[in-house]
Amino acid sequence: MAVSESNISNLFKPIYVKELHHLTHYVPNLEARPNPLEHNTYFQTHQLDTFYYTESDVVLRHIANDHSPSPRFAYHRAGPRRDIYFEPSHVRAAIVTCGGLCPGLNTVMRELVVGLWHLYGVRHIFGVTGGYRGFYSSEPLPLNPKLVHHWHTMGGTLLQTSRGGFDLHNIVDAIHNHSFNQVYIIGGDGTMRGAVAVFDEIQRRKLNVAVVGIPKTVDNDVGIIDKSFGFQTAIEMAQQAISAAHVEAESAVNGIGLVKLMGRSTGHIALHATLSSRDVDCCLIPEIDFYLEGKGGLFEFLDQRLKENGHAVLVVAEGAGQDIIPRTDSQKEERDESGNLVFLDVGVWLKSELKKWWARDHPDELFTVKYIDPTYMIRAVHANATDNLYCTLLAHSAIHGIMAGYTGFVAGPINGNYAYIPLEDVARANNPVNTKDHTWSWVRSVTNQPDFLRS
């Protein structure tokens, strides 16, 4: 088969490998030492030439043919290196969880502790309680494999978490005063931006402290990586809510099952739960504007669906429709501890609007709306098998990278391979639903919902 000249030239666009920060860049006289995995009886390092990764092992950011003129990027592959830059007996590791809950938090922490202990022989591991403020407001909690043995079976975070409390100088002072030289920060986009600031301050002070970020967001809104841990579990739990809404709607005359799912700025959970369940008649996400009244609006669509099927299921992400929900002056300014605008409850608003619409247009007909909000159920459960495996690989990737002296990076999967990504890249990136790709078209073909484009 012939290949066009333009396609050939596109295949040979240069690939740029993203440089990683390393402790040797700003801490003088650091010595490399052999990786103790050489003597670990569970690893046959001497029989595998490819056991240790080198600087030439990279993961491409995009593996599909990219027609854009922009350069192509690659990241260093995650995994053990032949040399490390920490004496395990001198390591004092700190682990902190920040922001909201997410399935898998306890698994990640468990595997960090177990991995540091059994892979590298680290014996001084501490949990920082209550998020970023815990660095300077409470004493660290000593951790060991026996203590964390059962953590993966529990939801939430046993170290506790919080939003806000980010005081850069107090945090870095506490890291220095507690003699921590490895810091594992688990959190979402705001937490990663905080981690960048912590890393920059540590660099400025030239402290021998390595910082790694482990991205956590149940919404799957962290950019660059394939997906965030807990997302697969969230989809499974969301399906249960959708199934319940479908039963309720189908069992009523002109019944509507309304389910609100997580997703402040992105609709990934709503989208994937819709595709997985096949019981959804309309999926509303933050990336797509919608309207209620008039030709092509939501009410017209639901009216037709009720006439055809006698029931309908509506899934809405929490960030959808925020620009059309009336707000008081005080609500326009209300923000949470992280500085995010407090969202109004789109589910409660939609339920009210649906009832007003039906009472106005069909006053003599029965109508039922069953509203289900499983938000806290979804994020509070323990991780499923798929996410537990992911959390283990994520934790081990972070450990191998930090022991090799890398710092200011995030560990995460890219195109199915685990890689090391500069913290600042992840902190700047986002991951909206691409409403112009095949996936969103698939959603619309499954639901047959309108595109909400006004003529």
Side-chain angles (χ1 to χ4, degrees):
M1 180 179 71
V3 179
S4 70
E5 183 177 339
S6 61
N7 283 342
I8 291 175
S9 62
N10 193 57
L11 290 172
F12 289 96
K13 284 194 302 184
I15 296 173
Y16 300 92
V17 180
K18 287 278 189 173
E19 183 180 3
L20 281 175
H21 302 286
H22 199 276
L23 287 172
T24 56
H25 294 169
Y26 61 91
V27 178
N29 304 319
L30 274 184
E31 293 184 5
R33 62 191 74 240
N35 195 318
L37 293 177
E38 285 281 348
H39 309 291
N40 192 310
T41 57
Y42 297 108
F43 295 96
Q44 305 297 319
T45 58
H46 59 286
Q47 295 180 6
L48 297 172
D49 294 335
T50 58
F51 180 81
Y52 294 113
Y53 293 139
T54 68
E55 295 298 295
S56 61
D57 289 298
V58 298
V59 178
L60 292 178
R61 174 70 181 91
H62 298 288
I63 57 175
N65 190 20
D66 183 2
H67 293 280
S68 70
S70 57
R72 301 171 70 193
F73 290 104
Y75 299 94
H76 289 285
R77 192 171 182 183
R81 268 47 178 181
R82 189 174 296 278
D83 293 328
I84 64 171
Y85 285 81
F86 284 97
E87 168 55 52
S89 63
H90 296 163
V91 169
R92 288 177 60 85
I95 302 169
V96 65
T97 58
C98 306
L101 299 183
C102 176
L105 275 171
N106 285 324
T107 305
V108 171
M109 292 188 291
R110 178 194 189 277
E111 298 309 321
L112 286 173
V113 173
V114 172
L116 283 165
W117 194 283
H118 291 303
L119 294 177
Y120 286 97
V122 174
R123 294 294 182 266
H124 304 290
I125 309 168
F126 300 88
V128 175
T129 58
Y132 273 130
R133 59 170 45 86
F135 277 105
Y136 57 85
S137 65
S138 60
E139 286 300 307
L141 174 69
L143 301 175
N144 59 68
K146 186 176 181 180
L147 178 66
V148 304
H149 177 70
H150 65 291
W151 281 20
H152 64 291
T153 65
M154 305 174 71
T157 165
L158 291 169
L159 286 183
Q160 302 178 325
T161 186
S162 68
R163 298 186 186 277
F166 186 82
D167 186 317
L168 177 60
H169 292 286
N170 279 343
I171 290 169
V172 177
D173 285 347
I175 289 171
H176 180 63
N177 293 336
H178 286 297
S179 300
F180 295 142
N181 51 15
Q182 292 185 4
V183 180
Y184 298 82
I185 301 175
I186 309 168
D189 53 353
T191 301
M192 292 300 107
R193 289 191 291 272
V196 171
V198 169
F199 167 65
D200 287 343
E201 179 64 14
I202 285 172
Q203 272 195 117
R204 190 188 69 78
R205 299 189 192 186
K206 293 182 167 47
L207 301 178
N208 185 11
V209 180
V211 177
V212 58
I214 299 179
K216 173 252 5 164
T217 165
V218 74
D219 295 346
N220 198 37
D221 59 0
V222 171
I224 301 177
I225 63 173
D226 293 346
K227 64 178 179 180
S228 51
F229 71 82
F231 179 64
Q232 199 69 39
T233 305
I235 298 303
E236 284 191 11
M237 294 298 295
Q239 278 188 273
Q240 294 180 28
I242 292 171
S243 178
H246 182 249
V247 170
E248 290 282 358
E250 202 171 31
S251 301
V253 177
N254 293 320
I256 289 183
L258 174 60
V259 181
K260 185 186 77 174
L261 298 175
M262 287 171 293
R264 285 183 56 87
S265 58
T266 64
H268 290 288
I269 291 179
L271 181 154
H272 284 86
T274 293
L275 290 177
S276 301
S277 73
R278 303 302 181 89
D279 287 330
V280 179
D281 294 279
C282 189
C283 175
L284 304 174
I285 60 175
E287 293 86 350
I288 293 287
D289 292 332
F290 69 93
Y291 57 96
L292 304 181
E293 305 277 1
K295 182 72 173 175
L298 180 63
F299 290 162
E300 181 188 65
F301 170 74
L302 290 176
D303 197 22
Q304 184 63 35
R305 191 54 59 94
L306 289 174
K307 288 176 181 176
E308 293 172 354
N309 299 333
H311 67 275
V313 174
L314 177 60
V315 168
V316 58
E318 63 181 315
Q322 291 297 317
D323 57 336
I324 60 174
I325 305 175
R327 284 179 177 267
T328 65
D329 289 340
S330 62
Q331 287 172 329
K332 292 177 183 177
E333 303 297 328
E334 189 178 0
R335 297 187 177 273
D336 64 17
E337 298 92 332
S338 298
N340 301 313
L341 182 68
V342 173
F343 280 3
L344 300 181
D345 195 323
V346 66
V348 170
W349 173 75
L350 266 178
K351 179 182 178 181
S352 174
E353 293 300 309
L354 286 166
K355 286 187 171 183
K356 285 191 286 187
W357 158 64
W358 194 265
R360 182 193 69 205
D361 291 4
H362 307 276
D364 300 322
E365 296 183 48
L366 292 173
F367 183 66
T368 301
V369 180
K370 294 297 185 184
Y371 175 44
I372 298 176
D373 179 359
T375 302
Y376 293 102
M377 283 178 55
I378 288 175
R379 69 181 207 167
V381 300
H382 64 80
N384 66 10
T386 301
D387 274 326
N388 266 332
L389 174 59
Y390 176 16
C391 291
T392 300
L393 296 174
L394 200 57
H396 285 199
S397 296
I399 292 168
H400 291 313
I402 213 168
M403 292 299 296
Y406 295 126
T407 182
F409 71 96
V410 161
I414 298 177
N415 297 315
N417 293 291
Y418 287 76
Y420 296 139
I421 311 157
L423 252 175
E424 58 267 26
D425 286 13
V426 174
R428 287 195 301 261
N430 53 26
N431 184 35
V433 170
N434 182 359
T435 57
K436 297 181 180 179
D437 75 354
H438 301 298
T439 306
W440 182 247
S441 299
W442 186 15
V443 170
R444 291 202 56 221
S445 72
V446 167
T447 61
N448 295 311
Q449 68 188 64
D451 57 17
F452 297 110
L453 296 177
R454 292 185 184 272
S455 56

